[in-house]
Amino acid sequence: MPEPVSNPAAARLQPQPAASGGAFAAIDLGTNNCRLLVGTPTQAGAFRVLDSYSRVVRLGEGLANDGRLSEGAMERALAALQTCAQKLLRRPLRRLLAVTTEACRQADNGRAFVARAQAATGLPIRIISAREEAELAMESCAPLMRAQDRRALLFDIGGGSTEIAWIRSGPAGQAELIGYVSLPLGVVTLAERAGLCCYTPEGFGRVVDEVAAHLSEFDRVHSIGREMRAGGVRLMGTSGTVTTLAGVALSLPRYSRPLIDGRVLDIEAADQALRDLFQLGREGLRAHPCVGPERADFVLPGCAIYAAIRRVWPSSCVTVADRGLREGMLLRMMRQDRAPPRRAAHPQRWAAHPAP
C-alpha cells in the first residue's frame, strides 16, 4: 500500500480541550460522496449551518467486483478529506466526528485505508456499524415526525447499502429505534453489478423483486405492514433518490433544498416522478437539472429500491428528508454536550487550530 499522503494539516489537527463557543463539525465519507457540515446550536434545539462541503468521490467504485477499494478511489477520497481538514483549520471547533460507512465495512482493505486517511489528514475517522448508521439517520430525521405519529419507517438509500429503521415515537419528541436492517444493496453496487439493466423494464423489475424479498423478511419480524394499515405510521425517506423524486414531482427548474426538506409528497406524485425518470433514459437523466451527469447512472437503481419499499409497505404519502448522517452527528454531539458531564461516556473532543 502506498505511503500516506503528506499533509501539514495533520500535525495541527490534534485533540484539544473543548473550545468554548466553538463550532461542531461532522464528516460523512460514504460509498459515493464525501460530505462535511459545520454548525452551531440554536436555542430551538436545532443548529445554524456555518459551512458545508460535498464531493462525489466514488469510494466504492469497483468494490462489488474484487472486494477492495481501488487506488484511484482512495486517492479521490483522500483529496476530499484533505479539503475538509483544511476547512476545519479556519475555525475553532468544540467537537468533531468523522465517520465512514458501507464501502469501508465491506472492503478487505477498508481498515487499512482508514488508517492511511487518519495519518494523511489528522481527522479522527472511524468505521461505524450499520446500526449506528441507522441511529444517526433516525436522529436527523426524527424532528420531522408529528405528534400523531406512533411509529415511523425510515429508509436511507445509500451508495453501498440501504438502511431501514423502524422507529417508535417517544416522550418529549424523542425517538427510539425498534429495529433496523441493512441491505448490502445501494445505488453504486447495483449500478456496477447490473450495468444498464435498470434502464429496461425487465431489469428494473428484477432489482425490485430482489430488494422486496429482503424487505419482506424484515416486515415479517416486526409486522410493519400491519402497523401501517392500523394508521399512525409515517413513511420517511432520506437519500438522493427520494429528494430527486420530489424535485421531479414538483417540476423544479433546479434542485432547492428549502423546497424539498420536510416535504410530504403524495405517493401518486412520487410514482409519476419515478415513471418520468424511467422514460428519460440515460442521456435524458444526464441533462435533467435535478439529476446531472455525475448522478445519472445511480438514479434508476435507487428508484428500483424505492419501488421495492413502496411495494412492501404501501403508504398514501412519503415525507422527504434532505438530511442524513451529518445532521444526525451534529444533533447527537450537541445533545451530548448539553448533558451533565460524564467524562467516561463522552467521545473524544477535538479542536482544530492553525499552527502559529
Side-chain angles (χ1 to χ4, degrees):
M1 183 178 69
E3 290 297 316
V5 179
S6 176
N7 181 1
R12 305 200 295 274
L13 276 167
Q14 298 296 329
Q16 300 287 342
S20 177
F24 294 76
I27 296 173
D28 168 23
L29 177 61
T31 301
N32 200 42
N33 296 278
C34 178
R35 299 182 173 99
L36 165 71
L37 192 63
V38 182
T40 55
T42 65
Q43 291 184 345
F47 58 84
R48 180 170 64 91
V49 175
L50 300 179
D51 196 6
S52 65
Y53 169 81
S54 181
R55 178 67 56 85
V56 175
V57 296
R58 305 191 308 280
L59 180 60
E61 184 179 58
L63 177 61
N65 297 324
D66 56 20
R68 294 180 62 82
L69 304 175
S70 70
E71 184 58 32
M74 290 189 289
E75 289 291 345
R76 289 192 298 269
L78 282 174
L81 289 171
Q82 287 171 332
T83 298
C84 292
Q86 291 294 335
K87 283 178 168 287
L88 295 180
L89 289 171
R90 299 172 186 170
R91 66 177 79 247
L93 295 182
R94 188 171 182 84
R95 298 181 72 176
L96 163 67
L97 282 179
V99 306
T100 186
T101 54
E102 185 68 12
C104 288
R105 286 198 295 260
Q106 284 190 16
D108 294 339
N109 57 342
R111 292 187 180 278
F113 167 70
V114 168
R116 176 182 174 186
Q118 290 171 338
T121 66
L123 295 169
I125 306 166
R126 63 185 178 90
I127 303 172
I128 59 172
S129 67
R131 180 183 179 89
E132 185 171 357
E133 187 172 355
E135 288 173 339
L136 288 169
M138 176 187 72
E139 188 120 24
S140 70
C141 295
L144 297 177
M145 295 179 68
R146 298 294 178 259
Q148 66 270 22
D149 297 334
R150 298 183 300 109
R151 304 277 192 275
L153 182 66
L154 172 65
F155 61 90
D156 182 0
I157 303 171
S161 64
T162 295
E163 272 65 48
I164 308 289
W166 181 226
I167 300 166
R168 176 188 294 117
S169 178
Q174 296 298 310
E176 177 188 354
L177 185 66
I178 303 171
Y180 77 98
V181 65
S182 179
L183 308 183
L185 300 168
V187 298
V188 175
T189 51
L190 284 174
E192 291 191 351
R193 189 191 70 182
L196 297 178
C197 86
C198 281
Y199 290 90
T200 68
E202 296 77 17
F204 189 92
R206 283 195 297 270
V207 174
V208 174
D209 290 342
E210 178 184 359
V211 176
H214 287 285
L215 299 179
S216 295
E217 296 177 10
F218 185 63
D219 179 74
R220 282 192 290 271
V221 172
H222 295 283
S223 301
I224 297 169
R226 185 178 65 190
E227 291 276 4
M228 293 183 77
R229 289 189 294 274
V233 177
R234 181 175 296 272
L235 179 65
M236 298 194 292
T238 171
S239 68
T241 297
V242 72
T243 57
T244 298
L245 286 171
V248 173
L250 296 173
S251 301
L252 297 182
R254 64 183 62 83
Y255 185 78
S256 170
R257 184 183 187 275
L259 294 177
I260 296 298
D261 185 46
R263 169 79 61 165
V264 178
L265 191 63
D266 181 84
I267 211 71
E268 295 302 327
D271 290 350
Q272 183 59 53
L274 190 157
R275 291 190 289 269
D276 291 344
L277 287 168
F278 188 85
Q279 291 299 319
L280 285 174
R282 190 168 188 271
E283 292 308 313
L285 290 170
R286 290 174 63 87
H288 196 284
C290 290
V291 181
E294 285 191 323
R295 298 181 54 242
D297 290 338
F298 307 129
V299 169
L300 291 186
C303 285
I305 297 173
Y306 166 78
I309 294 167
R310 169 90 171 83
R311 176 192 294 179
V312 176
W313 297 301
S315 176
S316 62
C317 59
V318 57
T319 297
V320 181
D322 188 347
R323 55 183 74 189
L325 299 193
R326 296 179 303 170
E327 290 83 358
M329 284 188 279
L330 286 186
L331 290 171
R332 174 178 288 184
M333 285 187 287
M334 292 172 186
R335 175 170 50 79
Q336 291 174 341
D337 200 67
R338 293 192 301 267
R342 292 179 58 189
R343 293 183 181 276
H346 273 281
Q348 183 71 61
R349 295 184 174 188
W350 289 68
H353 300 283

